[in-house]
Amino acid sequence: MLYDNHVFVTESQARRMVESLFDTLPNNNERILYIGEVNLFLTTVRKYCDENDSGVPEGVGIHPRSKTIQELRDSYDSGRFYDIDFLSSDIGKFDYVLGTGLSMPEDALSTERKEKYREKFNSTVRSYNNVSSLFFEQAVSHLRQGGRTSFSLPMTFETSESDRQLRKWITDNYHVISIEEFKDEDEPESVGNRLLVTVANEELGVTEVPAGEVKLPKDGDNWAPAIKGVSSPGSS
């Protein structure tokens, strides 16, 4: 098993991600992809749809553990669940993607696999610390025209030099709808802060952050100043 586990997401984080994901109420004819915290995401989406009296999109879930996939298949009478290598798979286009990155042991990436990922992805593969960025990029690339993804990322994504090309690729080709730095006050400190990013495959536009509307740097430069409402030399 290449990927060790999903990155932890709390219930309140999952709820906020779902609220950010759906700009309009979903319906039964749409497709949604769940990555990582499949059970929590699926449960949260169904609850949201029940509360808003809307249809539930057809679900596809991906998780690294075969046991978890079997439990999901046993628990839900609808939806498809797989323990495939998401980074190397083409599973079609989706209206929505809800996800978090997966972690792996430090020595899990062979030289051959690193080279494969370097050829395929904009994010630089150096260690297990930025593997979440690869999952984020793959999630974005699976969006249909007009589709949206809400993704939980490490805080380092907004500043990491290894993610510069990925940030540039996203701002050049997709609309970054919103970015939030999220922390559950009731959770232990070990959970840590997360960056919740919502991206749409649609015409480029401004980005919503807690400080208001901003334009992110076009050269892949540090997003943190814009997110915090501070002007940056790289902004345009």
Side-chain angles (χ1 to χ4, degrees):
M1 179 174 58
L2 176 62
Y3 308 110
D4 191 47
N5 210 341
H6 59 264
V7 177
F8 184 74
V9 174
T10 67
E11 290 186 11
S12 57
Q13 286 175 341
R15 176 68 186 200
R16 184 67 198 100
M17 292 170 70
V18 170
E19 291 171 346
S20 182
L21 183 67
F22 296 133
D23 58 330
T24 59
L25 292 180
N27 62 68
N28 297 330
N29 296 320
E30 295 175 316
R31 299 180 75 213
I32 185 169
L33 174 64
Y34 303 106
I35 305 168
E37 279 273 24
V38 178
N39 189 51
L40 175 59
F41 287 150
L42 198 157
T43 300
T44 306
V45 165
R46 289 193 173 190
K47 183 177 180 180
Y48 177 91
C49 293
D50 285 344
E51 292 172 352
N52 290 279
D53 196 25
S54 72
V56 180
E58 176 189 357
V60 175
I62 294 176
H63 192 281
R65 296 184 182 278
S66 299
K67 180 180 179 181
T68 299
I69 290 299
Q70 188 57 55
E71 291 171 350
L72 288 165
R73 289 170 178 165
D74 292 341
S75 300
Y76 295 99
D77 55 6
S78 62
R80 291 174 290 161
F81 307 102
Y82 306 102
D83 57 349
I84 58 176
D85 177 6
F86 178 57
L87 297 182
S88 301
S89 303
D90 182 1
I91 55 175
K93 300 292 185 179
F94 292 83
D95 301 284
Y96 307 105
V97 180
L98 193 59
T100 184
L102 303 185
S103 62
M104 64 174 63
E106 293 191 46
D107 59 352
L109 282 178
S110 64
T111 300
E112 180 181 2
R113 189 173 288 273
K114 282 185 179 180
E115 287 302 318
K116 178 181 178 181
Y117 289 165
R118 284 193 184 101
E119 291 176 3
K120 180 176 182 179
F121 295 103
N122 287 281
S123 184
T124 304
V125 184
R126 290 178 179 166
S127 72
Y128 74 104
N129 290 321
N130 70 336
V131 172
S132 288
S133 299
L134 304 186
F135 282 86
F136 179 47
E137 182 173 345
Q138 185 77 330
V140 172
S141 69
H142 277 72
L143 292 177
R144 288 175 174 165
Q145 185 64 38
R148 294 164 67 106
T149 181
S150 184
F151 216 87
S152 173
L153 291 163
M155 290 290 293
T156 53
F157 177 77
E158 63 186 14
T159 60
S160 171
E161 185 63 26
S162 64
D163 289 320
R164 173 184 285 269
Q165 283 303 115
L166 176 53
R167 290 194 297 268
K168 183 179 187 304
W169 175 73
I170 289 174
T171 54
D172 282 348
N173 297 284
Y174 298 90
H175 178 193
V176 182
I177 296 172
S178 63
I179 304 173
E180 298 178 50
E181 295 179 357
F182 195 97
K183 176 70 170 70
D184 280 310
E185 297 299 331
D186 295 332
E187 293 295 336
E189 191 64 32
S190 59
V191 172
N193 291 3
R194 300 293 294 174
L195 196 68
L196 305 186
V197 183
T198 302
V199 174
N201 186 5
E202 63 184 20
E203 186 177 347
L204 306 184
V206 297
T207 301
E208 289 282 347
V209 298
E213 293 184 345
V214 299
K215 289 187 177 180
L216 296 171
K218 290 294 186 180
D219 57 0
D221 199 14
N222 186 346
W223 283 4
I227 294 171
K228 293 173 173 60
V230 180
S231 61
S232 169
S235 301
S236 60

